[in-house]
Structures are given as structure tokens and as C-alpha cells.
Amino acid sequence: MTNKGPVMFLTGYQTPAAIRRTGAKRIETWLKNRKVKGAAALARTAVEAAQAQHTALPGEELAAAMVVRLAKGVMALEEEIAELDALIEARFHEHPLAAVIRSLPGMGARLGAEFIAATGGDMDAFGSADRLAGFAGLAPQPRDSGRVSGNLRRPRRYHRGLLRTMYLSAMASLKSCPDSKAYYQRKRAERKGHKQALIALARRRLNVLWAMLRDGACYRASPRGATAA
């Protein structure tokens, strides 16, 4: 999603000459009236850039009109996306297991909705946490050949959307969940890279989420000092 400030700015000012004539103060006021964050800095940057350019290019006015149309189109699309996101979140909250899913740190409404869309929200369809992990591409499978053994790789077929959901959730949980942070740090201490540690954390959290949904129980942090989640 684009930054609203610059796109909003382009609906009103497109050419260096117009920006110079208007000045930073009036542009700042124009942006503030449209509730653009960082209006002063954006106005100042635009005027400084306009003052450094005094060459008028052929077709500049036509290009400016096209920029206005494109900018308004982008803003309309962003409004539609925001409305769709709100609708998805509302539908997610109607799901009987929404509270259980959201109780897992790092699993917000949007990621929760993506989890339900990928799995149907019914853990009986998977039978075990291992099968769910395999579906998500978080359970490496042996790829032995000839005399080489112990070679583990991600399965060729897995749900990439579910893998993304659990990966992003694991990343977000590092900021709010001591259990997740402790588990991640333990994996890093085992000389795993950042991505490897996050994948391991995502697998661990998927196991926890599967058990939560199976039992219909919300997440409970481990006692202080434990690193179970």
C-alpha cells in the first residue's frame, strides 16, 4: 500500500512552478486540512525540490493532468482495499474460534482470517499438528538419494499462504511474547540463522495453535523462566 501523503499531494500539485508559487506554508495547510501526517515535512521537501528545478518540459501540463487522474485512482483503490480489510476482519470476528486464534501473540485479525481461509478453521481435517505443519510447509521431509541420508527439505507441495501467515505471525510475536522471544533466542544460540530460527518458531507456534483450537482454549503464557512457546 502506498503512502497516503505523497499520493494526496499529487492530486493538488504536480508541476514545480505551481509548487513554487504556492509556497510551503500554504501547501502545509492544504495537506493538514486533508489530514495528511507529516504535512510540514512533506510540504518543505516538495518546495525544496521544486526550487531546484526551473526547466519547463514539453507536455508538462498534459503530464500533470495525467498524474492527477492516476493519483486519484490510486487513492480510490486504497479506500476499496481498506473497506475490504474491514469486511474481512468483521467476518473473522464472527468465527467461533476467532477469540482463540487472536489470543496467540502475534496473530492479529488479518493473519487470523488468513489462517482460517487456508485451513477452514477445523483442525479435525488434519488429525495432528504434524499433518498441519506439513500442509503449511513447516515440516521438512527426507530427500535421501543414493548414499546420502538425513537430507531434509521443504515438501514440494504445501500451502504458501499458510506458511506466510505463520512466518509473519512468528515475526510479530518477537515484539510482544516473551515465550516466542526466548525460543527464537535459543535457536539462534544453536547457530541457526535468523530465517531458520523464525521458521522453527513458526513451526512451534503452529503446534501450540493446533492444540489451542483442538481444545478450544485461549493461549496461556508459560511460567516465568519457561520457554515452551
Side-chain angles (χ1 to χ4, degrees):
M1 187 174 294
T2 60
N3 188 321
K4 177 182 177 182
V7 176
M8 173 66 77
F9 177 82
L10 290 174
T11 64
Y13 302 93
Q14 303 84 40
T15 65
I19 295 172
R20 290 195 299 269
R21 286 195 304 268
T22 306
K25 197 63 180 177
R26 288 175 59 189
I27 293 177
E28 178 184 346
T29 301
W30 186 87
L31 291 170
K32 284 182 176 179
N33 290 339
R34 287 156 180 78
K35 300 180 180 180
V36 173
K37 294 181 179 180
L42 178 57
R44 185 169 58 253
T45 300
V47 171
E48 289 174 355
Q51 288 174 343
Q53 181 178 340
H54 291 273
T55 302
L57 301 176
E60 189 174 86
E61 294 301 325
L62 176 59
M66 293 177 62
V67 167
V68 172
R69 292 185 62 181
L70 290 172
K72 289 182 177 179
V74 169
M75 292 188 66
L77 180 60
E78 288 191 337
E79 289 179 1
E80 290 183 15
I81 292 174
E83 291 175 0
L84 181 59
D85 284 343
L87 178 60
I88 290 173
E89 290 190 15
R91 292 294 298 273
F92 167 71
H93 288 300
E94 294 174 1
H95 194 279
L97 293 173
V100 175
I101 295 172
R102 284 214 65 180
S103 70
L104 183 67
M107 186 66 83
R110 190 173 302 177
L111 290 179
E114 292 180 11
F115 177 84
I116 290 176
T119 65
D122 181 10
M123 297 301 98
D124 291 339
F126 297 95
S128 69
D130 289 341
R131 289 186 62 182
L132 179 60
F135 179 68
L138 290 171
Q141 295 179 350
R143 290 283 184 86
D144 300 337
S145 60
R147 297 181 180 181
V148 178
S149 61
N151 190 12
L152 298 177
R153 294 183 182 178
R154 182 175 296 156
R156 292 180 179 178
R157 295 184 178 181
Y158 61 94
H159 197 293
R160 286 169 171 76
L162 183 55
L163 175 61
R164 172 186 174 277
T165 295
M166 297 311 302
Y167 186 87
L168 292 179
S169 174
M171 187 182 300
S173 72
L174 294 178
K175 300 179 181 179
S176 59
C177 180
D179 289 339
S180 292
K181 188 174 183 179
Y183 187 87
Y184 169 84
Q185 290 175 338
R186 191 165 76 229
K187 291 301 174 183
R188 291 305 304 270
E190 295 172 3
R191 298 185 179 277
K192 292 186 180 294
H194 170 68
K195 187 174 181 179
Q196 290 178 311
L198 270 179
I199 290 292
L201 175 60
R203 167 64 189 274
R204 175 58 182 167
R205 285 166 51 82
L206 189 63
N207 291 348
V208 172
L209 183 56
W210 182 87
M212 290 165 52
L213 293 171
R214 177 197 62 194
D215 301 336
C218 290
Y219 177 79
R220 282 189 174 187
S222 300
R224 182 173 297 180
T227 57

